[in-house]
Amino acid sequence: LLTLVPIVLGLAVATKGELSFTMVGFSAAMLGNFLDCVQNVVCSSLLRTKAVFSSHELQYYSAMIALVLTLPYSAGEIWTGTMPLPTQARAWIMLLGAGMVYYLQSALAFNLMS
């Protein structure tokens, strides 16, 4: 857990001077950072056992858990019309590209942890 300290401090310094700073946004960023680090530590320990999961299985299950946690919120936002969806093709292409880059980063991270 001591490895989390530089990450948390870096996030705190980066958001300190932000003009649109809100405590809710800061808390969400801190929680997201913390949970990402916890996921990395847990996955690393699971990959060390070699008998439980392969790196590809861990990446798959992590993505499925994220989908299950995110889908109800997103569906509710879309259903009520409060979630703005991009209307331009360029925005959809950028979202798809960001998703692909995140997938590649995640695959590389899980392969390096194994």
Side-chain angles (χ1 to χ4, degrees):
L1 288 176
L2 287 176
T3 57
L4 294 176
V5 173
I7 295 169
V8 170
L9 288 176
L11 182 63
V13 168
T15 57
K16 184 179 183 298
E18 182 65 32
L19 293 176
S20 61
F21 178 82
T22 63
M23 201 58 190
V24 172
F26 178 71
S27 299
M30 294 292 274
L31 180 64
N33 234 354
F34 176 75
L35 291 176
D36 188 39
C37 292
V38 169
Q39 177 193 13
N40 287 339
V41 169
V42 169
C43 287
S44 289
S45 65
L46 286 174
L47 286 170
R48 282 192 200 118
T49 62
K50 296 285 184 192
V52 182
F53 297 110
S54 71
S55 63
H56 300 293
E57 289 172 326
L58 271 179
Q59 183 182 14
Y60 171 77
Y61 289 125
S62 294
M64 288 299 110
I65 290 170
L67 178 67
V68 167
L69 293 175
T70 306
L71 201 57
Y73 172 76
S74 298
E77 291 287 309
I78 292 170
W79 183 263
T80 59
T82 55
M83 176 183 266
L85 294 173
T87 56
Q88 298 175 347
R90 182 175 185 269
W92 282 106
I93 291 170
M94 290 176 70
L95 282 172
L96 181 62
M100 291 173 68
V101 168
Y102 180 76
Y103 169 76
L104 292 173
Q105 180 269 331
S106 178
L108 179 64
F110 277 96
N111 282 330
L112 288 175
M113 284 190 286
S114 63

